[in-house]
Amino acid sequence: MAGLLGACAVSSPLQIQSTNSGALAARTISLEIAEGDAGTARGGYAAALRSAFAKHDISLSPGAPVVAEFAFSISDASDGIVAGKPEISDGETEHDWMATPREQRRFDRCDAQRMRGTLVLFDKDKSAMVYRGRASQIECDFGEADIAALADRLVADALGRAEAD
């Protein structure tokens, strides 16, 4: 029984938070995407994003009217991520958590990891951000398929379409 409980104690589903102006949904576009160094986590995420855009018939070309920028990390889930500087109020430190620290639980079968990816799309002609999405998931370990799923979901969300396969 403990084995069954441990198997599900760490996992959390992929969650997306985004702002979408809808500017990309109405038209087929081409976009320029930032580079990632091969052999790095950022490079793997860049490749997954390129593949996800290709699945939606979005061409990638330098000088395109829309620029995609991104960030990616896999870290220990017990480490939280704070936005900005903590504020001190009445002697208490208050944090604006982007990701709250996860405490180790009794039935955890591993040291939980947090995978986070961000995708931001800028329309150069309008000088405006048209999409910003953040996705995160907690699991024991992540592989290429998990990174691809995160990229697929963010790209589908950015394009205002149903989740990618």
Side-chain angles (χ1 to χ4, degrees), residues 24 29-36 42 45-46 49-50 53 58-71 118-124 128-132 154-155 158-159:
L24 298 175
I29 62 168
S30 103
L31 60 86
E32 177 179 349
I33 190 167
E35 294 295 321
R42 180 175 165 84
Y45 184 53
L49 285 170
R50 284 185 179 85
F53 281 117
I58 305 297
S59 64
L60 304 175
S61 63
V66 175
V67 176
E69 183 55 75
F70 56 90
T118 302
L119 175 63
V120 181
L121 302 176
F122 298 95
D123 185 320
K124 291 191 280 187
M129 179 176 62
V130 293
Y131 175 80
R132 182 178 193 275
L154 277 175
V155 168
L159 298 173

Side-chain angles (χ1 to χ4, degrees), residues 18 73 80:
S18 65
S73 67

